[in-house]
Amino acid sequence: MTGLADSASQTPALAPLSLDQALALYRRMVLIRRFEDTVQVLFQRGEVPGTTHLYSGQEAVATGVASILEPRDRVAGTYRGHGHALSLGVDPQALLDEMLGRASGLCGGRAGSMNVIDLAHGLMGCYGIVGGSIGAATGAALALKRSGGVAVAYFGEGATNQGYFHECLNFAKVHNLPALYVCENNLYGEFTPMEDVTAGRIVARAQTLELPAETIDGNDLWAVRAAAAAAVARARDGGGPQFIEALTYRFVGHSRSDPGAYRKPGELDAWRQRDPLKLTRAGILERYETADEAQLDATDADVERQIEQMIAAGLAAPYPTPGPAAEFKA
Amino acid sequence: MPTLEFREAIRQAIDESLAADERVILFGEDVAVAGGVFVTTPGLYEKYGPERVFDTPISELAITSAAYGSAVCGLRPVIEIMFGDFLPLAMDSIVNQAAKFFYISGEQGSVPLVVRAAVGAGGRFGAIHSQNPGTWFQNVPGLKVVAPSTPADALALLKASIADDNPVLFLEHKRLYSVKQELESVGDEPVSLGQARVVREGLDVTLVSIMKGVGDCLEAAARLSSIGVQAEVIDLRTLRPFDHDTLLASLAKTNRLVAIEEGPLTGGWAGEVLAVVAEHGLHDIDDVWRLATPDHPIPFSPPLEDAFLPGVDTIVASVCERLGVQAPR
């Protein structure tokens, strides 16, 4: 863990989760994983058109951050954004229907996997251009400064090499905007290892602009919650933009066509030992005397039933009808 | 008689919009404390304070994306991109974020922002501070592109742009900033974006332009009148939406139409004018053509730049040649 010395010290303690709350977060993480597995299967069956970028392996980041947010906050996700959406409570059926290109999709089938938007759940957008989420959340923070809200941007470590990153973190700092920048460092930008294309440390880039910044274990739900709670509290209190680098790993390829041949030998297996779902299960059993495996297994089974129903409903949903569409809001 | 200067019209439109709606904010490079490098926003920082009028880093992508994000979250930002030539730095936010949001969100929300930019040649600013980027954006669904020619229109169209719920690119020709117009002719009626205007009526030929080109067309029309050629002049006012009806109605009357564009011939909006009249008004056409700039970058040296731009002389000579009449002396 690295961080500015003053970043974590002035923060009130985060109230511990009740068992029910912890189980609800675990359920959400399982839902994200099973949702992504489902998208993958439906893609291979030809039911999901285009391309997909799955969040499998990174569930603790979005789930942990979202567990700290309030309805007045806003989130900008990435093209790997299904997890960002589901963590906010976006209707999984509507999200799946969007992947399937159906009229009942979250955006009526107009957006697809990479560009999901759900304003009702605080998701201002997911951005198919690397770094776009950073700009979007910076603007959101400008508006939320009036209402006490905080804007969160998710992005990968690859986005820290984009102009958006430097321009917007500087912009947010000089205007003291309530933004939380969450870099999900999954070690690869598409197929290329981070170290081949990235100079220096990610967190140092934020620190040089004097954002409170720390590197955390992004697969540890409790670590994410603690860091996010502190950062969000500081941003909400007028402390300006905050930065978290969450170390994590995607268990799948960059996109649908990528088998992940570039991974170092043993790397995937090592990260699977630190699967955020496994860690969360273990964490719950360790923290709550009344928790048991049966509860967690029941949660898994419950999500499984939900997924089965969603697949059936999604595949039965009608496609949108081609026809004239409004270019502008009247 | 009291007059309104173009740059004052810009200031007044923003001032009235800031006063009328708390959600309106203004930001950009040197727009606040300094009052704008083209002196279009003086006094607004002092009047509305740093929360609503503020200076930014020289970061066009951040400025534009901040406008986009704040518009999605309830504000109505007006930003200045100092020179239109800097818009390529902000392209992702304008084209991919702002312009597409309404449609791809399934119409969950819209993006009420205005990007102002100073554009146009003739000031010896060279190839990269003189372009007219309107056509780059005419091809982007979801974006409105406004290009006023007079102080009165600058006032009315900028107010309408700020009140519009969609992203608007508002282009200000640098050679118009010091143009003054008599105040009595400044109407206060609301205008809708996407409506061209017939600024002079005539029967023999239609001259179509935007921004500074409209004034050039009016001057050319006056000279043509001296040899008995009655030119109609159309100010498009917006490049997107694109007003087909006004073009076609004028063509039906004059049967001859020339589009005068301060911008490269290939791929310009003048080509779109010709496409519209050919597609929908073929039976009305005796002659249609374009006057635009050569397909090379804008030169710096005064004689090179002057020869490069389509001016009054060029318009008059071209019309006379196409109509087969002797040019006025």
Side-chain angles (χ1 to χ4, degrees):
Chain A
M1 305 285 156
T2 54
L4 288 183
D6 63 351
S7 65
S9 55
Q10 306 147 353
T11 314
L14 176 63
L17 294 170
S18 69
L19 174 57
D20 283 350
Q21 289 170 325
L23 286 171
L25 293 184
Y26 172 70
R27 189 189 193 286
R28 195 150 279 186
M29 292 173 67
V30 174
L31 176 65
I32 294 171
R33 177 70 57 84
R34 293 296 297 124
F35 184 94
E36 298 294 57
D37 293 344
T38 302
V39 169
Q40 179 88 331
V41 167
L42 291 175
F43 178 83
Q44 285 161 349
R45 278 169 47 187
E47 300 285 359
V48 171
T51 190
T52 56
H53 304 77
L54 306 180
Y55 198 65
S56 311
Q58 304 182 198
E59 293 89 347
V61 183
T63 306
V65 172
S67 73
I68 301 301
L69 300 180
E70 300 176 10
R72 59 182 164 165
D73 301 328
R74 293 291 177 271
V75 170
T78 68
Y79 54 88
R80 195 178 305 290
H82 309 165
H84 302 144
L86 292 171
S87 74
L88 294 168
V90 167
D91 177 8
Q93 182 74 62
L95 187 65
L96 183 64
D97 292 1
E98 186 66 31
M99 308 296 105
L100 293 165
R102 308 303 167 119
S104 47
L106 206 50
C107 303
R110 290 180 173 186
S113 169
M114 289 191 280
N115 303 297
V116 174
I117 298 164
D118 186 1
L119 295 181
H121 287 91
L123 184 67
M124 65 183 300
C126 292
Y127 296 86
I129 301 293
V130 170
S133 56
I134 301 173
T138 301
L142 189 57
L144 297 176
K145 202 176 175 184
R146 293 187 177 193
S147 58
V150 173
V152 177
Y154 294 108
F155 51 93
E157 83 291 338
T160 68
N161 290 327
Q162 284 279 34
Y164 268 123
F165 178 83
H166 184 79
E167 287 195 21
C168 291
L169 265 62
N170 179 65
F171 187 103
K173 183 65 183 178
V174 297
H175 293 299
N176 200 42
L177 302 184
L180 170 57
Y181 298 101
V182 180
C183 175
E184 298 184 79
N185 184 350
N186 64 16
L187 308 181
Y188 292 90
E190 299 211 4
F191 311 156
T192 304
M194 176 183 75
E195 62 269 23
D196 290 2
V197 291
T198 308
R201 293 179 308 125
I202 301 288
V203 74
R205 296 179 173 197
Q207 287 166 338
T208 200
L209 296 169
E210 299 184 350
L211 273 71
E214 61 178 326
T215 302
I216 63 165
D217 179 354
N219 283 15
D220 179 339
L221 179 68
W222 287 271
V224 174
R225 274 177 50 78
V232 166
R234 289 192 298 267
R236 224 187 277 292
D237 274 359
Q242 311 288 318
F243 186 89
I244 293 172
E245 178 192 22
L247 298 176
T248 186
Y249 196 78
R250 60 172 152 75
F251 291 160
V252 293
H254 163 72
S255 62
R256 47 105 177 178
S257 58
D258 166 28
Y262 44 80
R263 296 184 198 277
K264 296 172 184 66
E267 188 178 75
L268 179 58
D269 289 339
W271 278 96
R272 283 214 183 269
Q273 299 302 309
R274 305 206 66 256
D275 183 330
L277 267 60
K278 282 187 195 167
L279 296 187
T280 304
R281 284 182 75 108
I284 288 173
L285 293 172
E286 179 191 313
R287 282 173 169 80
Y288 302 95
E289 277 182 17
T290 55
D292 58 42
E293 294 273 2
Q295 285 170 313
L296 296 161
D297 291 345
T299 301
D300 293 354
D302 185 47
V303 169
E304 214 50 48
R305 279 190 296 276
Q306 183 183 2
I307 291 279
E308 279 168 29
Q309 289 166 4
M310 280 167 47
I311 294 171
L315 292 175
Y319 283 101
T321 312
E327 180 182 355
F328 297 112
K329 185 174 179 217
Chain B
M1 183 168 293
T3 57
L4 180 66
E5 191 177 24
F6 193 97
R7 61 162 50 83
E8 165 59 18
I10 298 296
R11 197 203 63 78
Q12 189 179 325
I14 300 170
D15 189 4
E16 289 181 26
S17 302
L18 283 162
D21 190 340
E22 276 288 323
R23 298 170 299 174
V24 176
I25 57 174
L26 170 72
F27 58 98
E29 297 157 16
D30 287 329
V31 301
V33 175
V37 295
F38 294 104
V39 201
T40 50
T41 54
L44 299 176
Y45 168 76
E46 291 78 3
K47 188 168 175 183
Y48 297 98
E51 290 299 314
R52 297 187 64 202
V53 177
F54 54 89
D55 292 316
T56 66
I58 302 174
S59 302
E60 281 78 9
L61 184 59
I63 293 167
T64 313
S65 202
Y68 156 75
S70 68
V72 168
C73 295
L75 298 186
R76 304 184 77 87
V78 179
I79 60 169
E80 179 176 303
I81 298 295
M82 193 182 294
F83 284 78
D85 312 72
F86 308 165
L87 285 165
L89 290 163
M91 210 73 165
D92 181 53
S93 187
I94 298 173
V95 174
N96 291 327
Q97 296 189 329
K100 297 189 178 24
F101 185 86
F102 174 68
Y103 178 84
I104 69 169
S105 72
E107 303 181 13
Q108 290 176 50
S110 62
V111 185
L113 68 82
V114 177
V115 181
R116 295 175 44 238
V119 303
R124 321 311 184 195
F125 283 107
I128 306 160
H129 283 68
S130 303
Q131 297 170 92
N132 265 312
T135 55
W136 304 344
F137 297 92
Q138 190 184 27
N139 192 236
V140 180
L143 191 64
K144 296 188 178 182
V145 182
V146 181
S149 68
T150 66
D153 261 8
L155 175 61
L157 291 171
L158 184 50
K159 283 167 66 178
S161 298
I162 298 170
D164 199 284
D165 279 334
N166 302 282
V168 178
L169 177 63
F170 191 90
L171 304 174
E172 300 165 14
H173 199 295
K174 295 191 277 290
R175 306 283 283 170
L176 294 179
Y177 276 134
S178 297
V179 167
K180 295 183 176 70
Q181 188 175 6
E182 289 179 357
L183 198 59
E184 276 186 357
S185 60
V186 177
D188 205 27
E189 73 277 17
V191 295
S192 64
L193 303 180
Q195 201 145 29
R197 190 164 58 105
V198 178
V199 292
R200 177 191 171 112
E201 296 204 34
L203 292 169
D204 299 324
V205 61
T206 302
L207 314 180
V208 182
S209 199
I210 54 171
M211 299 192 288
K212 179 179 175 294
V214 176
D216 293 344
C217 287
L218 285 171
E219 204 177 321
R223 277 162 58 179
L224 288 166
S225 170
S226 72
I227 55 164
V229 173
Q230 298 308 321
E232 181 146 302
V233 177
I234 291 178
D235 179 357
L236 286 172
R237 301 207 288 183
T238 62
L239 294 178
R240 188 175 192 100
F242 205 53
D243 182 351
H244 293 189
D245 294 346
T246 302
L247 288 174
L248 293 168
S250 183
L251 178 72
K253 194 162 71 166
T254 64
N255 307 121
R256 295 181 188 85
L257 183 147
V258 53
I260 297 100
E261 174 171 5
E262 186 195 310
L265 183 76
T266 304
W269 59 256
E272 186 65 21
V273 170
L274 266 57
V276 167
V277 298
E279 192 173 6
H280 302 291
L282 190 60
H283 54 285
D284 286 326
I285 293 176
D286 284 343
D287 195 7
V288 292
W289 74 102
R290 300 174 282 180
L291 292 174
T293 63
D295 280 321
H296 65 71
I298 300 165
F300 158 70
S301 174
L304 293 181
E305 187 180 35
D306 290 344
F308 179 85
L309 297 172
V312 178
D313 292 343
T314 312
I315 299 168
V316 171
S318 177
V319 169
C320 289
E321 185 199 339
R322 298 293 283 228
L323 268 61
V325 299
Q326 187 75 37
R329 291 175 187 280

